[in-house]
Amino acid sequence: LAKTTQPISMDSYEGQEVNITCSHNNIATNDYITWYQQFPSQGPRFIIQGYKTKVTNEVASLFIPADRKSSTLSLPRVSLSDTAVYYCLVGELGSNYQLIWGAGTKLIIKP
Amino acid sequence: DVKVTQSSRYLVKRTGEKVFLECVQDMDHENMFWYRQDPGLGLRLIYFSYDVKMKEKGDIPEGYSVSREKKERFSLILESASTNQTSMYLCASSFDRDGISNTEAFFGQGTRLTVV
């Protein structure tokens, strides 16, 4: 059974780079890797998505090794407002859909 | 900006009541989803729909049904609410990109349902 595993919690400090890794050993060929951010009492918000290698946007980078069995979300120069829960999602919505959510990583940024 | 609107932020219902949770999206997205989120269990997919009048069971469909009569609206129905359905319910939508559904979804604010 496909599963995604990520750390339960992480701490860091303002201005640091934070890397959160998600393990997904049984990722299927058509699966994408997507990361979301969630603040208390809000729905998750899309951060970044990738299939392989590296993807970068204005808020984060996503690193995916060649075997795609893990992925790393990188947040550059975090601030207090980045304190949130970060979810890894592996899956696709084709005819054989599967959407496997990680349990979430609670990231706390300290001053 | 994409907007996914859930009809209520908070609901309190009695055991056995029929409950309707409504969700509307304004970006003409093909796909819509209903999740529930519980502490320690993360997000679990209840149902999704990839087109009007189409629905697919997710991971935990028991005790729920859905309706999608219009593209922009996706309703979750609890036929007979029970206390174990007390939860945060999240609606989401996503578009098809190049003919392939994708998992970049936009979520509503959530409905916290309490069944007493």
Side-chain angles (χ1 to χ4, degrees), chain B residues 50-105:
Chain B
Y50 53 87
D51 202 351
V52 175
K53 297 191 184 297
M54 305 301 289
K55 61 184 179 183
E56 293 286 344
K57 292 180 180 179
D59 301 315
I60 51 163
E62 296 78 20
Y64 303 95
S65 62
V66 291
S67 172
R68 193 166 181 201
E69 295 297 317
K70 294 184 178 181
K71 190 174 186 180
E72 68 271 19
R73 186 179 297 270
F74 193 35
S75 303
L76 179 70
I77 304 154
L78 286 67
E79 296 290 343
S80 177
S82 64
T83 55
N84 63 14
Q85 292 179 309
T86 291
S87 186
M88 170 69 84
Y89 289 88
L90 291 160
C91 175
S93 70
S94 74
F95 59 91
D96 280 354
R97 183 175 57 197
D98 298 326
I100 301 171
S101 300
N102 76 79
T103 52
E104 177 184 346

Side-chain angles (χ1 to χ4, degrees), chain A residues 32-34 36 38 41-46 49 87 89 91-94 97 99 101-103, chain B residues 9 31 33 35 37 42-43 45 48 57-59 90 94 97 101-105 107-109:
Chain A
Y32 281 78
I33 300 157
T34 312
Y36 288 84
Q38 187 178 27
S41 301
Q42 292 188 22
R45 184 175 71 98
F46 171 86
Q49 181 182 75
Y87 290 95
L89 167 65
E92 58 98 16
L93 287 173
Y97 94 94
L99 297 173
W101 288 82
Chain B
R9 290 297 304 270
N31 308 309
F33 309 82
Y35 288 92
Q37 186 174 32
L43 285 94
L45 182 64
F48 73 97
K57 292 180 180 179
D59 301 315
L90 291 160
S94 74
R97 183 175 57 197
S101 300
N102 76 79
T103 52
E104 177 184 346
F107 282 81
Q109 292 284 79

Side-chain angles (χ1 to χ4, degrees), chain B residues 2-52:
Chain B
V2 174
K3 195 161 185 183
V4 178
T5 304
Q6 296 183 228
S7 52
S8 305
R9 290 297 304 270
Y10 301 94
L11 274 180
V12 180
K13 296 292 183 181
R14 295 194 179 277
T15 301
E17 275 194 79
K18 190 168 187 176
V19 181
F20 293 86
L21 302 183
E22 306 287 345
C23 175
V24 177
Q25 51 96 0
D26 66 358
M27 281 300 290
D28 204 34
H29 284 174
E30 289 80 9
N31 308 309
M32 296 190 74
F33 309 82
W34 275 106
Y35 288 92
R36 64 177 284 178
Q37 186 174 32
D38 302 286
L41 296 177
L43 285 94
R44 293 182 291 169
L45 182 64
I46 305 171
Y47 269 97
F48 73 97
S49 168
Y50 53 87
D51 202 351
V52 175

Side-chain angles (χ1 to χ4, degrees), chain A residues 5 9 20 23 25 28 42-43 46-48 56 59 61 71 75 77 79 82 105:
Chain A
T5 304
S9 64
I20 307 174
S23 171
N25 289 323
Q42 292 188 22
F46 171 86
I47 302 174
I48 198 166
T56 297
V59 298
S61 294
S71 58
L75 304 172
R77 297 179 299 281
S79 64
D82 291 315
T105 298

